[in-house]
Structure formats: C-alpha cells, structure tokens
Tab-separated table of all heavy atoms in Angstrom:
chain	number	residue	atom	x	y	z
A	1	GLN	N	107.762	93.790	85.265
A	1	GLN	CA	108.116	92.551	84.573
A	1	GLN	C	108.276	92.769	83.072
A	1	GLN	O	109.181	92.197	82.447
A	1	GLN	CB	107.046	91.485	84.836
A	1	GLN	CG	107.072	90.899	86.227
A	1	GLN	CD	108.334	90.101	86.488
A	1	GLN	OE1	108.797	89.348	85.639
A	1	GLN	NE2	108.899	90.261	87.674
A	2	ILE	N	107.421	93.595	82.474
A	2	ILE	CA	107.540	93.866	81.043
A	2	ILE	C	108.864	94.555	80.741
A	2	ILE	O	109.564	94.218	79.784
A	2	ILE	CB	106.354	94.739	80.558
A	2	ILE	CG1	105.045	93.944	80.626
A	2	ILE	CG2	106.588	95.236	79.135
A	2	ILE	CD1	103.819	94.758	80.258
A	3	GLU	N	109.226	95.527	81.572
A	3	GLU	CA	110.471	96.266	81.359
A	3	GLU	C	111.696	95.373	81.555
A	3	GLU	O	112.713	95.538	80.884
A	3	GLU	CB	110.535	97.465	82.312
A	3	GLU	CG	109.492	98.533	82.043
A	3	GLU	CD	109.888	99.452	80.896
A	3	GLU	OE1	110.955	99.224	80.304
A	3	GLU	OE2	109.134	100.398	80.601
A	4	GLN	N	111.611	94.426	82.479
A	4	GLN	CA	112.762	93.591	82.804
A	4	GLN	C	112.887	92.359	81.912
A	4	GLN	O	114.005	91.936	81.599
A	4	GLN	CB	112.688	93.144	84.271
A	4	GLN	CG	112.873	94.256	85.281
A	4	GLN	CD	112.803	93.756	86.713
A	4	GLN	OE1	112.438	92.599	86.965
A	4	GLN	NE2	113.123	94.617	87.655
A	5	LYS	N	111.764	91.774	81.503
A	5	LYS	CA	111.804	90.474	80.843
A	5	LYS	C	111.542	90.514	79.335
A	5	LYS	O	111.764	89.516	78.669
A	5	LYS	CB	110.768	89.541	81.497
A	5	LYS	CG	110.955	89.345	82.996
A	5	LYS	CD	112.228	88.619	83.317
A	5	LYS	CE	112.430	88.432	84.813
A	5	LYS	NZ	111.352	87.666	85.457
A	6	THR	N	111.069	91.623	78.804
A	6	THR	CA	110.720	91.680	77.387
A	6	THR	C	111.468	92.825	76.707
A	6	THR	O	111.979	93.728	77.367
A	6	THR	CB	109.199	91.896	77.191
A	6	THR	OG1	108.877	93.274	77.448
A	6	THR	CG2	108.392	91.008	78.125
A	7	PRO	N	111.510	92.815	75.372
A	7	PRO	CA	112.122	93.940	74.648
A	7	PRO	C	111.178	95.120	74.486
A	7	PRO	O	111.548	96.125	73.864
A	7	PRO	CB	112.467	93.317	73.288
A	7	PRO	CG	111.440	92.246	73.096
A	7	PRO	CD	111.164	91.696	74.470
A	8	TYR	N	109.969	95.027	75.039
A	8	TYR	CA	108.980	96.083	74.860
A	8	TYR	C	109.213	97.238	75.840
A	8	TYR	O	109.735	97.046	76.929
A	8	TYR	CB	107.570	95.544	75.053
A	8	TYR	CG	107.253	94.327	74.221
A	8	TYR	CD1	106.477	93.288	74.727
A	8	TYR	CD2	107.730	94.206	72.917
A	8	TYR	CE1	106.186	92.170	73.966
A	8	TYR	CE2	107.443	93.089	72.154
A	8	TYR	CZ	106.671	92.074	72.676
A	8	TYR	OH	106.396	90.967	71.921
A	9	LYS	N	108.790	98.418	75.415
A	9	LYS	CA	108.856	99.612	76.249
A	9	LYS	C	107.446	100.002	76.664
A	9	LYS	O	106.557	100.125	75.819
A	9	LYS	CB	109.521	100.765	75.477
A	9	LYS	CG	109.562	102.071	76.235
A	9	LYS	CD	110.473	101.974	77.449
A	9	LYS	CE	110.562	103.316	78.173
A	9	LYS	NZ	111.398	103.223	79.401
A	10	VAL	N	107.236	100.198	77.961
A	10	VAL	CA	105.928	100.610	78.473
A	10	VAL	C	105.812	102.126	78.352
A	10	VAL	O	106.692	102.871	78.806
A	10	VAL	CB	105.743	100.175	79.936
A	10	VAL	CG1	104.392	100.650	80.462
A	10	VAL	CG2	105.840	98.660	80.057
A	11	VAL	N	104.730	102.589	77.729
A	11	VAL	CA	104.490	104.020	77.548
A	11	VAL	C	103.175	104.393	78.218
A	11	VAL	O	102.240	103.589	78.281
A	11	VAL	CB	104.461	104.405	76.053
A	11	VAL	CG1	105.816	104.160	75.411
A	11	VAL	CG2	103.389	103.611	75.305
A	12	SER	N	103.116	105.622	78.730
A	12	SER	CA	101.918	106.084	79.428
A	12	SER	C	100.874	106.644	78.475
A	12	SER	O	99.683	106.685	78.816
A	12	SER	CB	102.301	107.148	80.462
A	12	SER	OG	102.963	108.239	79.838
A	13	ASP	N	101.299	107.057	77.294
A	13	ASP	CA	100.381	107.638	76.313
A	13	ASP	C	99.842	106.540	75.403
A	13	ASP	O	100.596	105.930	74.641
A	13	ASP	CB	101.104	108.705	75.491
A	13	ASP	CG	100.157	109.475	74.570
A	13	ASP	OD1	98.958	109.131	74.521
A	13	ASP	OD2	100.620	110.414	73.896
A	14	ARG	N	98.561	106.301	75.490
A	14	ARG	CA	97.964	105.236	74.691
A	14	ARG	C	98.087	105.509	73.202
A	14	ARG	O	98.188	104.579	72.394
A	14	ARG	CB	96.489	105.075	75.076
A	14	ARG	CG	95.788	103.866	74.453
A	14	ARG	CD	94.372	103.735	74.994
A	14	ARG	NE	93.741	102.506	74.563
A	14	ARG	CZ	93.009	102.388	73.466
A	14	ARG	NH1	92.829	103.461	72.680
A	14	ARG	NH2	92.455	101.233	73.124
A	15	CYS	N	98.077	106.777	72.809
A	15	CYS	CA	98.144	107.120	71.387
A	15	CYS	C	99.510	106.802	70.783
A	15	CYS	O	99.634	106.683	69.555
A	15	CYS	CB	97.827	108.604	71.203
A	15	CYS	SG	96.149	109.080	71.699
A	16	ARG	N	100.541	106.664	71.610
A	16	ARG	CA	101.879	106.359	71.109
A	16	ARG	C	102.235	104.886	71.258
A	16	ARG	O	103.363	104.489	70.944
A	16	ARG	CB	102.924	107.209	71.845
A	16	ARG	CG	102.796	108.694	71.621
A	16	ARG	CD	104.011	109.464	72.121
A	16	ARG	NE	104.212	109.288	73.558
A	16	ARG	CZ	105.207	108.605	74.088
A	16	ARG	NH1	106.077	107.977	73.322
A	16	ARG	NH2	105.334	108.516	75.405
A	17	ALA	N	101.307	104.078	71.729
A	17	ALA	CA	101.594	102.664	71.979
A	17	ALA	C	101.174	101.799	70.800
A	17	ALA	O	100.164	102.062	70.145
A	17	ALA	CB	100.865	102.206	73.239
A	18	ASP	N	101.979	100.769	70.534
A	18	ASP	CA	101.614	99.783	69.515
A	18	ASP	C	100.511	98.858	70.024
A	18	ASP	O	99.624	98.458	69.260
A	18	ASP	CB	102.836	98.943	69.131
A	18	ASP	CG	103.927	99.770	68.470
A	18	ASP	OD1	103.607	100.819	67.886
A	18	ASP	OD2	105.104	99.364	68.552
A	19	THR	N	100.593	98.473	71.294
A	19	THR	CA	99.634	97.531	71.869
A	19	THR	C	99.179	98.012	73.235
A	19	THR	O	99.770	98.925	73.831
A	19	THR	CB	100.269	96.130	72.023
A	19	THR	OG1	101.379	96.220	72.941
A	19	THR	CG2	100.766	95.604	70.692
A	20	GLU	N	98.130	97.371	73.734
A	20	GLU	CA	97.618	97.683	75.069
A	20	GLU	C	97.327	96.379	75.811
A	20	GLU	O	96.655	95.486	75.277
A	20	GLU	CB	96.337	98.521	74.992
A	20	GLU	CG	95.759	98.875	76.345
A	20	GLU	CD	94.470	99.678	76.221
A	20	GLU	OE1	93.491	99.126	75.657
A	20	GLU	OE2	94.437	100.832	76.673
A	21	LEU	N	97.846	96.282	77.024
A	21	LEU	CA	97.583	95.128	77.881
A	21	LEU	C	96.691	95.579	79.020
A	21	LEU	O	97.103	96.359	79.881
A	21	LEU	CB	98.891	94.562	78.432
A	21	LEU	CG	98.758	93.377	79.400
A	21	LEU	CD1	98.190	92.158	78.681
A	21	LEU	CD2	100.100	93.037	80.039
A	22	SER	N	95.454	95.114	79.014
A	22	SER	CA	94.490	95.501	80.052
A	22	SER	C	94.003	94.258	80.778
A	22	SER	O	94.042	93.143	80.241
A	22	SER	CB	93.301	96.251	79.439
A	22	SER	OG	92.645	95.447	78.463
A	23	GLY	N	93.539	94.454	82.002
A	23	GLY	CA	93.082	93.314	82.792
A	23	GLY	C	92.064	93.707	83.836
A	23	GLY	O	91.920	94.889	84.190
A	24	VAL	N	91.347	92.715	84.316
A	24	VAL	CA	90.338	92.893	85.359
A	24	VAL	C	90.595	91.875	86.456
A	24	VAL	O	90.704	90.671	86.174
A	24	VAL	CB	88.906	92.710	84.805
A	24	VAL	CG1	87.884	92.910	85.917
A	24	VAL	CG2	88.640	93.670	83.657
A	25	ILE	N	90.713	92.338	87.689
A	25	ILE	CA	90.845	91.427	88.828
A	25	ILE	C	89.458	90.905	89.157
A	25	ILE	O	88.575	91.652	89.562
A	25	ILE	CB	91.462	92.142	90.036
A	25	ILE	CG1	92.862	92.647	89.694
A	25	ILE	CG2	91.519	91.198	91.237
A	25	ILE	CD1	93.516	93.447	90.817
C-alpha cells in the first residue's frame, strides 16, 4: 500500500530510511 498509494519508497536498511513505521498486532 505504501508503494502504491504514497510517494514514499520502502527501504530494507533502517540506516538509510528517513522514517520507520512499526506496529504490534
């Protein structure tokens, strides 16, 4: 959904990311 609906790019390396989206079920 992030890739399809937002201008943001999902990256696997946390050190190269501007933000982090985390969650708990």
Side-chain angles (χ1 to χ4, degrees):
Q1 287 294 318
I2 292 176
E3 294 280 2
Q4 292 180 350
K5 303 294 179 60
T6 77
Y8 308 142
K9 177 67 177 177
V10 178
V11 296
S12 58
D13 187 356
R14 188 175 188 269
C15 297
R16 296 192 299 110
D18 296 335
T19 63
E20 180 181 62
L21 178 66
S22 58
V24 180
I25 299 176

